[in-house]
Amino acid sequence: MGKYTIVIHGGAGDFPKDSPEELKQQYINSLTEALNIGKNILANGGTSIDAVEKVINYLENNILFNSGRGAVFTLEGKHELDASIMQGKDLSSGAVAGVTIIKNPISLARLVMEKTPHVLFAGKGADDLGIQLGVEIVPNSYFHDSTGYQKWLKSNIKQQGETVGCVALDQYGNITAGTSTGGRQNKMPGRVGDSPLINAGTYANNNTCGVSATGIGELFIRNTIAFNISALMEYKGYTLKQACDEMIYKRLPEGSGGV
Ligand code: ASP
């Protein structure tokens, strides 16, 4: 009792070596701010679900990250966002895939968990659910950095990771994990990655661990990465590190991503 833990990530993409120092500092400052939001909630006796949602909301509202506001572009120059959240105390979970007008997909994922009997909503049905449940709606162009698409078309920059994720353990011993992303840049419209898939991109179980993944979603889906990390701990007695090393370094090709 009284102890809490929080871990965040801001994606597994390469940070180009020639990136300006100032930009690196902006990422570090944003991640620090996000961590502090979560720490304050947990230190004051808040729950892990609140900490994870608020940390991810902050990163979703920050254009530096490929989630919410800063979501990358599909092949058609639009944005389709994915998110999921899971509680380790009872395996309850919620997720949305391919939403186009939801400002904070992680918050809608939480509402899917809390207000519906389902786990995953996709596409128009998910957008409509958001309207029905009263979450903040924005035009798809909100996710569009006015110059970003043109810049990207010209430079064809390699997609950077920058998906965001958070795992928290609160003072009551409950783990929550959450992930939010714009997916892979240049993805085909309708493509869904691992981030909104419980067991692939997100998993939490109070008996083992919480996991939020980032990287090439297709590989994380095929290898059921998030669940397998927990399963190795539960069924084989692996430590968290052993389980992560097994899945990330032995089962996935080098450079696939991380957790
Ligand atoms: N895993 C995400 C996806 O495949 C992208 C990322 O983490 O960079 O949609």
Side-chain angles (χ1 to χ4, degrees):
M1 285 301 282
K3 288 193 178 162
Y4 62 87
T5 303
I6 180 160
V7 185
I8 60 172
H9 71 75
D14 280 345
F15 207 79
K17 286 205 177 62
D18 52 358
S19 306
E21 216 31 64
E22 203 188 305
L23 184 64
K24 282 188 202 163
Q25 202 51 52
Q26 280 177 24
Y27 276 98
I28 292 168
N29 292 347
S30 297
L31 288 167
T32 306
E33 178 64 25
L35 202 51
N36 285 336
I37 290 169
K39 270 162 85 175
N40 283 338
I41 292 172
L42 296 168
N44 289 314
T47 58
S48 57
I49 181 109
D50 283 341
V52 168
E53 182 187 9
K54 297 296 174 238
V55 163
I56 293 184
N57 283 163
Y58 170 81
L59 294 167
E60 285 176 336
N61 295 340
N62 185 325
I63 198 151
L64 290 178
F65 298 91
N66 172 21
S67 72
R69 178 92 169 92
V72 295
F73 297 90
T74 66
L75 262 179
E76 288 179 342
K78 299 224 165 65
H79 308 273
E80 297 176 2
L81 287 67
D82 300 333
S84 64
I85 197 159
M86 181 168 190
Q87 297 196 105
K89 64 177 176 194
D90 56 4
L91 310 184
S92 57
S93 17
V96 291
V99 293
T100 60
I101 54 169
I102 307 297
K103 185 179 179 202
N104 292 110
I106 197 73
S107 296
L108 183 55
R110 179 175 178 173
L111 289 174
V112 166
M113 177 180 79
E114 291 177 344
K115 306 269 186 220
T116 82
H118 307 301
V119 170
L120 172 62
F121 280 72
K124 187 174 179 312
D127 281 338
D128 288 348
L129 182 76
I131 295 171
Q132 198 186 315
L133 294 177
V135 302
E136 197 169 344
I137 301 299
V138 289
N140 193 249
S141 58
Y142 161 82
F143 304 111
H144 183 120
D145 162 15
S146 56
T147 55
Y149 187 50
Q150 295 307 328
K151 243 197 243 162
W152 172 74
L153 279 178
K154 276 191 204 132
S155 63
N156 209 4
I157 310 165
K158 208 178 124 226
Q159 193 241 358
Q160 302 193 7
E162 296 163 19
T163 287
V164 306
C166 179
V167 173
L169 167 66
D170 61 30
Q171 297 190 31
Y172 319 103
N174 291 320
I175 299 174
T176 298
T179 310
S180 182
T181 189
R184 304 280 300 169
Q185 183 152 290
N186 214 11
K187 65 185 178 183
M188 292 169 73
R191 176 267 189 190
V192 173
D194 60 318
S195 308
L197 300 184
I198 298 299
N199 298 319
T202 302
Y203 193 77
N205 185 328
N206 278 6
N207 296 325
T208 53
C209 63
V211 180
S212 167
T214 173
I216 303 167
E218 285 71 9
L219 297 173
F220 282 75
I221 296 170
R222 287 182 199 132
N223 292 279
T224 329
I225 295 295
F227 172 74
N228 269 329
I229 289 171
S230 170
L232 284 171
M233 294 175 73
E234 187 166 1
Y235 304 152
K236 291 240 177 189
Y238 281 35
T239 64
L240 178 62
K241 181 167 176 5
Q242 285 170 333
C244 291
D245 285 353
E246 174 69 30
M247 295 314 299
I248 299 299
Y249 296 126
K250 299 202 185 139
R251 305 289 169 131
L252 293 178
E254 200 183 328
S256 301
V259 290

